[in-house]
Amino acid sequence: MTTSTHPSTTERSTARSLLPLVAIIFTGFLSIGIPLSALPLHVNGVLGYSALIVGWVVGIQSFSTILTRKFSGSYSDRFGPKRAVCIGLPLASCAGFIYLASTWIADPLWSLIVLIAGRLLMGPAESLFLTGAMTWGIGRVGVPRTSKVMAWQGIAMFAALGVGGLLGVLIQQRYGFSGIAWSTIALPLIGLAIASMLGALAVVRGHTEGLPFRAVMSLIWRFGMAAALSSMPFAILSSFLVLLYKTHNWDGAGNAIFGFSVGFIGVRLLFAHLPDRLGGRKVGAVSVAIEFCGQLLLWLAHDPTMALAGAVLTGIGFSLVFPSMGLQAMANVPAHSRGLAVASFMAFVDVAAGLTGPIVGVVIGLYGYPSAFMAGALACVAALLVMWRSGAQH
């Protein structure tokens, strides 16, 4: 169990406590974001596989992450979040080496198999360093600032995914997928260097075990489900926006992904306090409604400007859903089970990310690439229904 007793922490000291962890998340997630936009181009354009296979390759990391969330949360509670971070980041570099090895294989099938092995290894790597960093942040600044921890680290996460999307396209075009692999190898090691310089949180020994997994899930599942459904548009955008642009012969797919990131970060920077002030359900519902409008714009887009506007709106809407739902989820869970609660909450988003690619790949096969974003709009409607039902029961 990690302690978290800093109720008098000032805003300045909160920033000092969180900035190194934000840097760790940013570098770690760059190693995820850079391949994310390059994978569709590599798997479809170089290896020659369909959109369905692209969806599986992109989404399979999330299945691997899901299977290790419980372990990573319990490990962080038992041995401390620093150790979880310092194991997860080198694993991410190892996944990069496997990506690199896949480029040495001429046969497309075996190259794909090795690439998938790297994606599977990146799952537990992400699970450990992200769960560890989130738990570490809450332990350093205190539970009342949980939404700030999630907001700041979420900025780092999605900034890395947005910037990584733009960089991934550029690196893939200039250096091929081997350049993507070398980036994946190097970036987590920068995060590891930062983590090694930070002091570990105290781990309380001799305390009884935390809540069982089932009990934690019963406390947070409604909030996790809403977060999962509202994250599906992002999974769709990151997996298929590049191919939508390619299908229409549009330029600027990387700019659209970057636009998502700008919308996301701008709202987080200016309005991260709103869940604490107005309530998570209210802020979450308005956010998902904006996200819904962004998905409709992408579905109806007839030029790259309209698609860019849809991506930006999606980022604006998605921005505050995670901290809004996360704040409510963490408030329901005792401190000695916080690592498991963080991991379980994020597992809902992992499930959505893992299932979205394959399911939407089938939809695209039947109705074309624009239909992916209608599926995202429907996911937003489902998220609003879950929030409404959750509010009716409390």
Side-chain angles (χ1 to χ4, degrees), residues 95-368:
F97 276 111
I98 298 175
Y99 292 172
L100 183 63
S102 75
T103 66
W104 301 335
I105 301 172
D107 181 78
L109 176 60
W110 282 105
S111 179
L112 181 69
I113 290 171
V114 173
L115 177 60
I116 288 172
R119 300 290 292 160
L120 289 171
L121 182 59
M122 186 60 83
E126 178 200 334
S127 184
L128 282 163
F129 79 71
L130 179 57
T131 301
M134 286 280 187
T135 309
W136 205 350
I138 294 170
R140 283 168 73 91
V141 304
V143 176
R145 293 175 174 82
T146 294
S147 63
K148 185 175 290 293
V149 174
M150 289 191 167
W152 280 38
Q153 295 192 357
I155 287 174
M157 185 190 313
F158 287 99
L161 292 175
V163 172
L166 180 59
L167 290 175
V169 172
L170 296 175
I171 293 170
Q172 172 72 9
Q173 290 173 345
R174 184 161 185 178
Y175 301 106
F177 200 70
S178 61
I180 300 294
W182 281 113
S183 301
T184 307
I185 292 166
L187 287 163
L189 299 180
I190 298 173
L192 181 64
I194 297 170
S196 66
M197 294 185 289
L198 299 179
L201 294 179
V203 179
V204 178
R205 307 291 185 184
H207 197 87
T208 57
E209 290 188 3
L211 294 176
F213 180 68
R214 183 179 297 179
V216 170
M217 289 293 285
S218 70
L219 294 173
I220 69 167
W221 75 267
R222 293 180 182 86
F223 311 115
M225 182 65 71
L229 289 166
S230 63
S231 72
M232 289 179 69
F234 169 69
I236 292 168
L237 187 147
S238 61
S239 298
F240 299 111
L241 185 63
V242 172
L243 296 179
L244 176 72
Y245 270 67
K246 182 181 176 182
T247 299
H248 290 298
N249 294 316
W250 294 340
D251 294 324
N255 292 334
I257 296 174
F258 185 69
F260 168 90
S261 181
V262 170
F264 180 94
I265 294 169
V267 170
R268 282 278 176 101
L269 289 175
L270 296 174
F271 304 110
H273 61 284
L274 289 182
D276 290 330
R277 181 174 298 179
L278 302 177
R281 287 192 186 90
K282 184 181 295 185
V283 173
V286 172
S287 298
V288 174
I290 296 170
E291 192 178 15
F292 170 79
C293 294
Q295 290 294 286
L296 286 183
L297 274 181
L298 283 163
W299 174 52
L300 297 170
H302 51 71
D303 58 50
T305 301
M306 192 171 178
L308 173 62
V312 173
L313 269 183
T314 299
I316 290 171
F318 182 50
S319 183
L320 294 182
V321 179
F322 187 83
S324 294
M325 297 298 100
L327 174 63
Q328 291 183 284
M330 293 309 109
N332 288 344
V333 180
H336 58 277
S337 297
R338 193 170 300 126
L340 183 57
V342 169
S344 302
F345 179 73
M346 291 188 295
F348 281 92
V349 179
D350 296 332
V351 171
L355 291 177
T356 297
I359 291 172
V360 175
V362 173
V363 173
I364 290 171
L366 294 173
Y367 303 107

